[in-house]
Amino acid sequence: MTNPSDWNKRINPVILGLQPSGIRRFFDLVAEMKGVISLGVGEPDFVTPWHIREACMFSLEKGYTMYTSNRGLLELRQEIAKNLAASFGVSYDPHQEILITVGVSEGLDLAFRTILCPGDEVLIPEPSYVSYAPVTAMAGAKPVFLKTSAENGFRITPELVEKAITPKTKAIIICNPNNPTGATIDRARLLEITEVVRAHDLIFVSDEIYGRLTYVGEHTCVPSLPGMRDRTILLNGFSKSYAMTGWRVGYAAGNRDFISAMTKIHQYTMLCAPITAQIAALEALKNGENGLIKMVEQYNRRRRLVIQALQKMGLPCCEPRGAFYAFPDIRSTGLSSEDFAQLLLKEEKVAVVPGNAFGEQGEGFVRCSYSASINDLTEAFRRMESFVRRRVSKGKVLTFSPGKNEIIKEGICQTI
Ligand code: PLP
């Protein structure tokens, strides 16, 4: 019989070894405080546009309350295929090459469980989204981190990828634009990286959830690059672009073998994504473009405000070009990311996420989400400035030493 103090010993050691998400741990603290301005959560502050909510309500009125096909509503898959073909010139068969998932979160789990075997290695940029390493480990494989830094604009290089490859490397995952840094990878750099990926016969898992939230340059969809369609599992969803985090709907697109295998896991674990969410997603794709463009304009205004505010307080920051995050360097304060976030919360009631929640390379940085109103952002950065000024005497602010093709302009690292 198991001793009551020994239940932990009955738990899968891989799960026991996982750390709870650094973001959630911090926000349990925030939830207990009053008057806090949160720049912490990675979700739009907008409510889902009305026509999308209405489409869902009408669907309930009409009695759409059943399971859908495991792969999701055919009409939604067709609309996704149409959208990908029109935007990026990449074509998928909606019957066999697209699967509707419960957010990109489920897509990531399905992709990794489908392609990874025990002992395989997955290349993961660092800092990066909190779930990549855990889903890799849960699939029995090993995360191998591609360490990026502020000095190179938090962008991976083909050399970095090449150096990390071993005979066990099976796949690479990239999120472009990046959470938490807001960095984007342009087409030319992606082309170089995908050449390495093809040369080593790797699978590319492309998380493009922030693709539509690109403010500088154009988003490149990885499967649209030469020779990449069939070796890429494209993951995307509705959470960020259409302010639909709570609806839990996303999709995976890829070759029919990958998608059929992913569908088997999905069939036995989820069965299907919620029908109401799928109907809402269909409305978003069909009629949501104007609303999306308005939200992107808002994020871009806020992005500029954040860049200026960080410049003013002397915190260096690589120019955020996509998603809705800035990742300033707080090393000049002499505090660790964790202490900076804790003290800022305690002294000024502003919540940010310590950079080390996104891996070791995030130490010395904090993630500020600008999915908050202009008023809240203005006030939050005013408070943050007094906090920083109390700790950094003038003239002591650190700056980056620029890498190739980078300039430092008033503490902001920009690509030229
Ligand atoms: N991928 C990235 C990079 C994210 O930032 C997030 C959420 O923050 C997700 C995936 C999960 O998205 P979803 O809501 O579609 O599950």
Side-chain angles (χ1 to χ4, degrees), residues 42 102-106 108 129 132 175 179 207 209-210 237 239-240 245 248-249 325:
V102 180
V104 171
S105 304
E106 194 213 355
L108 283 165
Y129 182 50
Y132 297 160
C175 172
N179 173 8
D207 179 348
I209 192 165
Y210 296 105
S239 290
K240 315 289 174 169
T245 46
R248 311 308 306 128
V249 59
Y325 309 108

Side-chain angles (χ1 to χ4, degrees), residues 19 46 56 66-67 93 103 114 135 154 165-166 177 188 233 263 290-291 308 351 373 384 387 400 403 409:
Q19 293 301 315
F46 301 108
C56 158
M66 311 84 170
Y67 294 133
D93 172 1
T114 292
V135 287
F154 290 114
I165 293 174
T166 74
I233 299 177
T263 305
N290 287 345
Q308 277 171 5
S373 70
M384 197 192 291
F387 176 82
F400 302 131
K409 207 169 136 206

Side-chain angles (χ1 to χ4, degrees), residues 4 8 33 64 68 75 111 117 153 157 195 243 250 255 262 287 289 317 323 327 396:
N8 256 345
M33 293 176 67
Y64 287 102
T68 68
E75 211 186 335
C117 302
T157 60
E195 259 174 44
N255 71 55
M262 287 168 70
N287 299 309
E289 189 61 21
C317 181
F327 204 57
K396 277 197 174 169

Side-chain angles (χ1 to χ4, degrees), residues 2-152:
T2 305
N3 185 313
S5 60
D6 280 347
W7 286 116
N8 256 345
K9 293 186 183 149
R10 307 291 293 274
I11 295 174
N12 177 341
V14 174
I15 309 301
L16 265 187
L18 296 178
Q19 293 301 315
S21 157
I23 306 181
R24 289 289 147 197
R25 189 169 47 80
F26 197 72
F27 281 90
D28 290 345
L29 262 178
V30 175
E32 291 162 12
M33 293 176 67
K34 287 211 164 75
V36 174
I37 302 179
S38 178
L39 308 183
V41 278
E43 73 177 328
D45 58 321
F46 301 108
V47 174
T48 308
W50 174 248
H51 67 103
I52 299 175
R53 287 182 275 156
E54 203 173 43
C56 158
M57 288 184 272
F58 288 153
S59 80
L60 288 173
E61 216 166 55
K62 288 181 197 149
Y64 287 102
T65 56
M66 311 84 170
Y67 294 133
T68 68
S69 130
N70 292 138
R71 287 175 188 263
L73 290 172
L74 180 59
E75 211 186 335
L76 176 57
R77 285 181 276 142
Q78 284 167 331
E79 199 60 34
I80 290 167
K82 214 165 98 186
N83 193 278
L84 288 170
S87 308
F88 304 110
V90 56
S91 70
Y92 289 100
D93 172 1
H95 294 274
Q96 306 201 57
E97 295 183 318
I98 294 178
L99 168 67
I100 308 301
T101 57
V102 180
V104 171
S105 304
E106 194 213 355
L108 283 165
D109 183 42
L110 297 178
F112 281 6
R113 280 203 279 163
T114 292
I115 60 174
L116 298 178
C117 302
D120 285 344
E121 292 177 358
V122 179
L123 306 182
I124 304 177
E126 191 189 85
S128 71
Y129 182 50
V130 292
S131 83
Y132 297 160
V135 287
T136 303
M138 286 191 281
K142 183 178 159 208
V144 173
F145 298 105
L146 304 171
K147 295 188 180 289
T148 68
S149 63
E151 285 70 19
N152 58 26

